[in-house]
Amino acid sequence: MNGIRKPAVILADSMEEYLAMPDPYKNPPKSKLNIFKLGEYAERVGKRIEDLTAEEILQFKV
């Protein structure tokens, strides 16, 4: 294993969007997750965000 973890859920519309380098001079795309609520949930259940399952993450999809 090379130390790189594949994300459980990719919320990008396309793989190109997921792999593309962000442009620091443009506004970032809107988030597809409610990150604040996801963090609260992870804290409540005693897990780190990266340890959540895909089903748990998708509960907070906007």
PDB file of all heavy atoms in Angstrom, residues 10-26:
ATOM      1  N   ILE A  10     -17.156   9.791  -4.059  1.00  0.00           N
ATOM      2  CA  ILE A  10     -16.728  10.897  -4.913  1.00  0.00           C
ATOM      3  C   ILE A  10     -17.985  11.632  -5.331  1.00  0.00           C
ATOM      4  O   ILE A  10     -18.846  11.072  -5.996  1.00  0.00           O
ATOM      5  CB  ILE A  10     -15.947  10.390  -6.143  1.00  0.00           C
ATOM      6  CG1 ILE A  10     -14.666   9.701  -5.697  1.00  0.00           C
ATOM      7  CG2 ILE A  10     -15.651  11.544  -7.089  1.00  0.00           C
ATOM      8  CD1 ILE A  10     -13.859   9.091  -6.812  1.00  0.00           C
ATOM      9  N   LEU A  11     -18.093  12.897  -4.923  1.00  0.00           N
ATOM     10  CA  LEU A  11     -19.298  13.664  -5.203  1.00  0.00           C
ATOM     11  C   LEU A  11     -19.156  14.566  -6.426  1.00  0.00           C
ATOM     12  O   LEU A  11     -20.051  15.329  -6.729  1.00  0.00           O
ATOM     13  CB  LEU A  11     -19.662  14.515  -3.983  1.00  0.00           C
ATOM     14  CG  LEU A  11     -20.032  13.702  -2.748  1.00  0.00           C
ATOM     15  CD1 LEU A  11     -20.163  14.601  -1.545  1.00  0.00           C
ATOM     16  CD2 LEU A  11     -21.317  12.937  -2.986  1.00  0.00           C
ATOM     17  N   ALA A  12     -18.033  14.491  -7.126  1.00  0.00           N
ATOM     18  CA  ALA A  12     -17.849  15.288  -8.328  1.00  0.00           C
ATOM     19  C   ALA A  12     -18.756  14.759  -9.426  1.00  0.00           C
ATOM     20  O   ALA A  12     -19.090  13.573  -9.468  1.00  0.00           O
ATOM     21  CB  ALA A  12     -16.390  15.240  -8.782  1.00  0.00           C
ATOM     22  N   ASP A  13     -19.170  15.648 -10.322  1.00  0.00           N
ATOM     23  CA  ASP A  13     -20.035  15.240 -11.423  1.00  0.00           C
ATOM     24  C   ASP A  13     -19.294  14.377 -12.434  1.00  0.00           C
ATOM     25  O   ASP A  13     -19.891  13.551 -13.106  1.00  0.00           O
ATOM     26  CB  ASP A  13     -20.620  16.465 -12.118  1.00  0.00           C
ATOM     27  CG  ASP A  13     -21.558  17.226 -11.201  1.00  0.00           C
ATOM     28  OD1 ASP A  13     -22.179  16.587 -10.317  1.00  0.00           O
ATOM     29  OD2 ASP A  13     -21.679  18.448 -11.348  1.00  0.00           O
ATOM     30  N   SER A  14     -17.978  14.565 -12.551  1.00  0.00           N
ATOM     31  CA  SER A  14     -17.195  13.759 -13.474  1.00  0.00           C
ATOM     32  C   SER A  14     -15.832  13.486 -12.860  1.00  0.00           C
ATOM     33  O   SER A  14     -15.391  14.179 -11.949  1.00  0.00           O
ATOM     34  CB  SER A  14     -17.021  14.488 -14.810  1.00  0.00           C
ATOM     35  OG  SER A  14     -16.225  15.632 -14.614  1.00  0.00           O
ATOM     36  N   MET A  15     -15.147  12.484 -13.376  1.00  0.00           N
ATOM     37  CA  MET A  15     -13.821  12.162 -12.869  1.00  0.00           C
ATOM     38  C   MET A  15     -12.835  13.284 -13.191  1.00  0.00           C
ATOM     39  O   MET A  15     -11.934  13.569 -12.426  1.00  0.00           O
ATOM     40  CB  MET A  15     -13.346  10.832 -13.452  1.00  0.00           C
ATOM     41  CG  MET A  15     -12.087  10.318 -12.800  1.00  0.00           C
ATOM     42  SD  MET A  15     -12.186  10.169 -11.003  1.00  0.00           S
ATOM     43  CE  MET A  15     -12.804   8.534 -10.837  1.00  0.00           C
ATOM     44  N   GLU A  16     -13.026  13.969 -14.338  1.00  0.00           N
ATOM     45  CA  GLU A  16     -12.144  15.083 -14.684  1.00  0.00           C
ATOM     46  C   GLU A  16     -12.263  16.200 -13.652  1.00  0.00           C
ATOM     47  O   GLU A  16     -11.274  16.806 -13.263  1.00  0.00           O
ATOM     48  CB  GLU A  16     -12.474  15.640 -16.076  1.00  0.00           C
ATOM     49  CG  GLU A  16     -12.128  14.702 -17.217  1.00  0.00           C
ATOM     50  CD  GLU A  16     -13.167  13.608 -17.430  1.00  0.00           C
ATOM     51  OE1 GLU A  16     -14.348  13.795 -17.046  1.00  0.00           O
ATOM     52  OE2 GLU A  16     -12.794  12.547 -17.953  1.00  0.00           O
ATOM     53  N   GLU A  17     -13.486  16.483 -13.216  1.00  0.00           N
ATOM     54  CA  GLU A  17     -13.704  17.506 -12.192  1.00  0.00           C
ATOM     55  C   GLU A  17     -13.031  17.092 -10.881  1.00  0.00           C
ATOM     56  O   GLU A  17     -12.438  17.912 -10.190  1.00  0.00           O
ATOM     57  CB  GLU A  17     -15.202  17.711 -11.964  1.00  0.00           C
ATOM     58  CG  GLU A  17     -15.532  18.722 -10.891  1.00  0.00           C
ATOM     59  CD  GLU A  17     -17.030  18.798 -10.588  1.00  0.00           C
ATOM     60  OE1 GLU A  17     -17.836  18.209 -11.331  1.00  0.00           O
ATOM     61  OE2 GLU A  17     -17.372  19.446  -9.592  1.00  0.00           O
ATOM     62  N   TYR A  18     -13.076  15.827 -10.564  1.00  0.00           N
ATOM     63  CA  TYR A  18     -12.479  15.321  -9.323  1.00  0.00           C
ATOM     64  C   TYR A  18     -10.961  15.417  -9.369  1.00  0.00           C
ATOM     65  O   TYR A  18     -10.325  15.781  -8.387  1.00  0.00           O
ATOM     66  CB  TYR A  18     -12.914  13.871  -9.101  1.00  0.00           C
ATOM     67  CG  TYR A  18     -12.261  13.217  -7.919  1.00  0.00           C
ATOM     68  CD1 TYR A  18     -12.585  13.583  -6.624  1.00  0.00           C
ATOM     69  CD2 TYR A  18     -11.290  12.231  -8.096  1.00  0.00           C
ATOM     70  CE1 TYR A  18     -11.976  12.994  -5.534  1.00  0.00           C
ATOM     71  CE2 TYR A  18     -10.685  11.624  -7.017  1.00  0.00           C
ATOM     72  CZ  TYR A  18     -11.030  12.012  -5.735  1.00  0.00           C
ATOM     73  OH  TYR A  18     -10.424  11.426  -4.658  1.00  0.00           O
ATOM     74  N   LEU A  19     -10.357  15.103 -10.509  1.00  0.00           N
ATOM     75  CA  LEU A  19      -8.909  15.061 -10.626  1.00  0.00           C
ATOM     76  C   LEU A  19      -8.284  16.408 -10.989  1.00  0.00           C
ATOM     77  O   LEU A  19      -7.081  16.578 -10.860  1.00  0.00           O
ATOM     78  CB  LEU A  19      -8.502  14.031 -11.677  1.00  0.00           C
ATOM     79  CG  LEU A  19      -8.853  12.576 -11.344  1.00  0.00           C
ATOM     80  CD1 LEU A  19      -8.530  11.675 -12.518  1.00  0.00           C
ATOM     81  CD2 LEU A  19      -8.107  12.125 -10.107  1.00  0.00           C
ATOM     82  N   ALA A  20      -9.080  17.372 -11.448  1.00  0.00           N
ATOM     83  CA  ALA A  20      -8.548  18.651 -11.915  1.00  0.00           C
ATOM     84  C   ALA A  20      -7.918  19.447 -10.772  1.00  0.00           C
ATOM     85  O   ALA A  20      -8.379  19.417  -9.635  1.00  0.00           O
ATOM     86  CB  ALA A  20      -9.669  19.468 -12.552  1.00  0.00           C
ATOM     87  N   MET A  21      -6.840  20.153 -11.116  1.00  0.00           N
ATOM     88  CA  MET A  21      -6.201  21.038 -10.144  1.00  0.00           C
ATOM     89  C   MET A  21      -7.099  22.260  -9.941  1.00  0.00           C
ATOM     90  O   MET A  21      -7.598  22.827 -10.907  1.00  0.00           O
ATOM     91  CB  MET A  21      -4.838  21.503 -10.663  1.00  0.00           C
ATOM     92  CG  MET A  21      -3.795  20.411 -10.684  1.00  0.00           C
ATOM     93  SD  MET A  21      -3.368  19.828  -9.041  1.00  0.00           S
ATOM     94  CE  MET A  21      -2.457  21.207  -8.436  1.00  0.00           C
ATOM     95  N   PRO A  22      -7.322  22.684  -8.702  1.00  0.00           N
ATOM     96  CA  PRO A  22      -8.160  23.856  -8.470  1.00  0.00           C
ATOM     97  C   PRO A  22      -7.455  25.124  -8.940  1.00  0.00           C
ATOM     98  O   PRO A  22      -6.234  25.244  -8.857  1.00  0.00           O
ATOM     99  CB  PRO A  22      -8.360  23.860  -6.956  1.00  0.00           C
ATOM    100  CG  PRO A  22      -7.256  23.035  -6.412  1.00  0.00           C
ATOM    101  CD  PRO A  22      -6.862  22.066  -7.470  1.00  0.00           C
ATOM    102  N   ASP A  23      -8.218  26.065  -9.459  1.00  0.00           N
ATOM    103  CA  ASP A  23      -7.687  27.356  -9.896  1.00  0.00           C
ATOM    104  C   ASP A  23      -7.836  28.331  -8.734  1.00  0.00           C
ATOM    105  O   ASP A  23      -8.953  28.675  -8.349  1.00  0.00           O
ATOM    106  CB  ASP A  23      -8.458  27.848 -11.118  1.00  0.00           C
ATOM    107  CG  ASP A  23      -7.884  29.134 -11.686  1.00  0.00           C
ATOM    108  OD1 ASP A  23      -6.983  29.724 -11.056  1.00  0.00           O
ATOM    109  OD2 ASP A  23      -8.341  29.537 -12.765  1.00  0.00           O
ATOM    110  N   PRO A  24      -6.727  28.806  -8.156  1.00  0.00           N
ATOM    111  CA  PRO A  24      -6.824  29.681  -6.988  1.00  0.00           C
ATOM    112  C   PRO A  24      -7.414  31.052  -7.297  1.00  0.00           C
ATOM    113  O   PRO A  24      -7.746  31.805  -6.391  1.00  0.00           O
ATOM    114  CB  PRO A  24      -5.370  29.795  -6.516  1.00  0.00           C
ATOM    115  CG  PRO A  24      -4.548  29.519  -7.719  1.00  0.00           C
ATOM    116  CD  PRO A  24      -5.355  28.542  -8.537  1.00  0.00           C
ATOM    117  N   TYR A  25      -7.567  31.397  -8.590  1.00  0.00           N
ATOM    118  CA  TYR A  25      -8.090  32.705  -8.966  1.00  0.00           C
ATOM    119  C   TYR A  25      -9.582  32.682  -9.247  1.00  0.00           C
ATOM    120  O   TYR A  25     -10.173  33.700  -9.540  1.00  0.00           O
ATOM    121  CB  TYR A  25      -7.326  33.240 -10.187  1.00  0.00           C
ATOM    122  CG  TYR A  25      -5.845  33.345  -9.895  1.00  0.00           C
ATOM    123  CD1 TYR A  25      -4.949  32.432 -10.420  1.00  0.00           C
ATOM    124  CD2 TYR A  25      -5.361  34.343  -9.055  1.00  0.00           C
ATOM    125  CE1 TYR A  25      -3.595  32.514 -10.143  1.00  0.00           C
ATOM    126  CE2 TYR A  25      -4.015  34.438  -8.765  1.00  0.00           C
ATOM    127  CZ  TYR A  25      -3.132  33.522  -9.312  1.00  0.00           C
ATOM    128  OH  TYR A  25      -1.804  33.604  -9.012  1.00  0.00           O
ATOM    129  N   LYS A  26     -10.194  31.530  -9.167  1.00  0.00           N
ATOM    130  CA  LYS A  26     -11.638  31.408  -9.383  1.00  0.00           C
ATOM    131  C   LYS A  26     -12.301  30.989  -8.087  1.00  0.00           C
ATOM    132  O   LYS A  26     -11.682  30.356  -7.229  1.00  0.00           O
ATOM    133  CB  LYS A  26     -11.943  30.358 -10.456  1.00  0.00           C
ATOM    134  CG  LYS A  26     -11.508  30.765 -11.836  1.00  0.00           C
ATOM    135  CD  LYS A  26     -11.937  29.717 -12.841  1.00  0.00           C
ATOM    136  CE  LYS A  26     -11.532  30.127 -14.237  1.00  0.00           C
ATOM    137  NZ  LYS A  26     -11.868  29.103 -15.219  1.00  0.00           N
TER     138      LYS A  26
END
